[in-house]
Amino acid sequence: MLSREDYLMIQDQATKGVYLKDIAHGLGVHPKTVRRALSRSGPPSGRRRKPRYVKLKPYMARVDALLADGVWNATVILREIQALGYTGGATVLRGYIAPKRALRPARATVRFETPPGKQLQHDWGELHTEIAGVRRKVFIAVNTLGYSRRFHALAAPRMDAEHTYESLVRAFEWFGGVPAEVLVDNQKAAVIRHRIGDTVQFNARFVDLGGQYGFRPRACRPYRARTKGKVERMVGYLKHHFFVRYRSFESLSQLNRQLERWLVEEADRRVPSTVREAVARRFARERPHLGPLPRNRFDTSYRETRHVGWDGYVDIRGNRYSIPGHLCGRMVAVRIDLDDGVRIYHGEQLVAHHRLCDPARGWVTVPGHHANLWHRTLQVERRDLSVYEGVM
């Protein structure tokens, strides 16, 4: 049973924007207990029996000193005071520590709200599901608008830079606009390293993406991923709702199509407890504050450089693909799209286009690429054989 003091503490922490789960953790109760306490018109009239701290009293100063030093693990504290002679149990110690947890700086996370169109939060999750009859790991990129809580998700085979950029581009297209800033964790796709003085070195391609779409890159401080708590909750929401309802998929493409239908039919209609308003309604107010999409889509493909062999082929992911014969011996730029399309450039000119193919099926050849090579091969030099008559 909560005491009057507990109720007043709950009311004060909630007013400051502390999450209910953090308040509940500090009191050692369930978040629903905190929610019920806030729904009442006043504090409870009954009194809770105070725990007896007879055995703990001589060691309270030591416990308080450990808490001040940032030691909040009750088991660690118990071992410390047992070494000093404490003979009581852990339950009494935890009862003494519990009310003080609300003062713990690392646990009290103040919720902040961003204005419409201000921020998008990006994060990744992973899980196992059935694709084409095989259970496999799938990575989920989630992008959430801070104001409306509307989000877009992309299932991908890998959690790499290219799929990170693709997920952001698709999210902008899904929302029909671009927020002022994008907040990311410290994955290498976006952040190279944090420098002294709170400056961040971002990945060059992530900066290029921001420049083309008009958003400012932002990164969480190291070990402070809770800064983007809105999007992290959406990762859990997907796992416990979409992937519980839908358990098998024909392909990754079919999964993403099903996911986007579910976003419209279910996720956009939800009412988050933090704002108590339907997502779709809040997004209608946020949409006019988003920036415009650029004219050209950002190229999220994998980028590689290859040397063209003298036989007119280049090696790409274990197989060989034909190139126009006049480029034999030259360097070319290879772009591998996320849908397995292969584009090959010499300078700014597109010189070949293929689809990734299993090496077991053999080399991929476009006949027209090597027509000039065959022409040169057929032009055999003819010599007068009379020069050899003298040696016969």
Side-chain angles (χ1 to χ4, degrees):
M1 180 179 177
L2 296 176
S3 68
R4 181 182 181 87
E5 290 75 16
D6 292 335
Y7 173 81
L8 295 176
M9 190 275 285
I10 289 173
Q11 193 176 45
D12 177 66
Q13 294 292 310
T15 303
K16 293 178 179 178
V18 179
Y19 288 117
L20 298 188
K21 65 177 182 180
D22 290 332
I23 300 175
H25 187 277
L27 292 173
V29 299
H30 196 276
K32 289 184 178 179
T33 303
V34 176
R35 191 182 301 278
R36 284 195 296 269
L38 290 172
S39 66
R40 290 196 294 263
S41 57
S45 56
R47 294 184 178 180
R48 183 174 59 179
R49 182 180 177 183
K50 294 184 178 180
R52 296 174 179 267
Y53 296 125
V54 177
K55 293 184 179 180
L56 183 63
K57 190 172 182 180
Y59 308 96
M60 286 183 178
R62 179 55 182 163
V63 173
D64 291 340
L66 289 170
L67 297 178
D69 287 340
V71 180
W72 289 87
N73 188 311
T75 302
V76 174
I77 296 175
L78 178 63
R79 298 291 179 263
E80 286 280 335
I81 60 178
Q82 282 178 337
L84 299 176
Y86 174 65
T87 58
T91 302
V92 174
L93 174 62
R94 290 193 175 94
Y96 177 73
I97 295 173
K100 301 175 181 290
R101 288 189 181 275
L103 304 176
R104 183 182 180 183
R107 290 298 305 174
T109 302
V110 178
R111 183 177 65 248
F112 69 95
E113 296 295 339
T114 53
K118 173 67 174 177
Q119 187 182 90
L120 178 143
Q121 297 183 2
H122 167 85
D123 198 15
W124 280 95
E126 60 182 68
L127 50 83
H128 285 81
T129 191
E130 186 177 303
I131 305 289
V134 178
R135 190 161 183 82
R136 53 174 284 192
K137 180 183 287 188
V138 173
F139 299 93
I140 308 294
V142 182
N143 295 287
T144 305
L145 291 172
Y147 174 78
S148 66
R149 272 44 167 203
R150 192 179 190 216
F151 73 95
H152 181 266
L154 174 69
R158 290 174 291 279
M159 187 173 61
D160 54 17
E162 289 73 16
H163 284 92
T164 295
Y165 308 145
E166 180 69 19
S167 77
L168 287 167
V169 170
R170 292 197 188 190
F172 299 149
E173 294 169 346
W174 181 256
F175 301 138
V178 184
E181 62 184 31
V182 171
L183 178 65
V184 297
D185 206 344
N186 292 286
Q187 66 263 39
K188 293 300 182 183
V191 178
I192 301 300
R193 64 175 179 270
H194 285 259
R195 294 173 173 171
I196 299 175
D198 291 335
T199 60
V200 181
Q201 181 183 354
F202 288 102
N203 186 299
R205 288 194 71 189
F206 185 55
V207 174
D208 291 341
L209 176 64
Q212 184 169 333
Y213 281 78
F215 67 81
R216 182 167 69 93
R218 284 197 59 197
C220 297
R221 291 184 179 181
Y223 312 110
R224 284 289 296 177
R226 279 181 294 161
T227 306
K228 54 180 180 57
K230 298 182 181 72
V231 71
E232 289 184 342
R233 282 191 292 278
M234 290 306 96
V235 172
Y237 178 68
L238 274 171
K239 290 181 178 180
H240 296 105
H241 288 77
F242 177 79
F243 285 100
V244 171
R245 181 176 178 183
Y246 304 100
R247 298 173 180 268
S248 63
F249 308 91
E250 298 173 2
S251 64
L252 227 87
S253 299
Q254 190 265 332
L255 189 163
N256 282 314
R257 291 194 298 271
Q258 182 66 50
L259 180 54
E260 290 190 342
R261 284 196 297 269
W262 178 84
L263 289 174
V264 174
E265 296 170 359
E266 298 290 338
D268 286 354
R269 297 180 181 179
R270 75 189 190 282
V271 180
S273 60
T274 51
V275 295
R276 301 185 182 279
E277 184 181 12
V279 168
R281 181 175 297 179
R282 287 180 70 86
F283 178 71
R285 293 200 301 275
E286 183 168 29
R287 174 63 185 86
H289 296 274
L290 297 174
L293 293 169
R295 179 174 299 179
N296 298 318
R297 195 179 194 273
F298 185 77
D299 185 0
T300 61
S301 60
Y302 295 93
R303 301 183 177 188
E304 302 174 359
T305 302
R306 289 288 184 272
H307 182 271
V308 182
W310 291 106
D311 58 357
Y313 288 86
V314 291
D315 296 314
I316 302 174
R317 295 190 179 180
N319 204 358
R320 307 201 76 202
Y321 299 82
S322 66
I323 302 293
H326 69 278
L327 295 175
C328 291
R330 305 288 185 87
M331 297 299 296
V332 292
V334 177
R335 301 288 182 264
I336 306 174
D337 300 329
L338 303 187
D339 63 354
D340 291 343
V342 178
R343 292 170 288 131
I344 302 174
Y345 293 85
H346 182 245
E348 298 296 324
Q349 182 183 4
L350 178 65
V351 295
H353 191 281
H354 298 283
R355 301 287 300 177
L356 283 181
C357 182
D358 189 334
R361 297 177 60 182
W363 296 5
V364 180
T365 304
V366 175
H369 284 170
H370 298 159
N372 62 333
L373 291 180
W374 286 109
H375 179 71
R376 289 202 302 266
T377 303
L378 292 174
Q379 290 181 341
V380 181
E381 182 180 357
R382 296 179 179 274
R383 296 184 180 180
D384 186 359
L385 297 181
S386 62
V387 296
Y388 299 101
E389 292 179 355
V391 298
M392 293 181 64

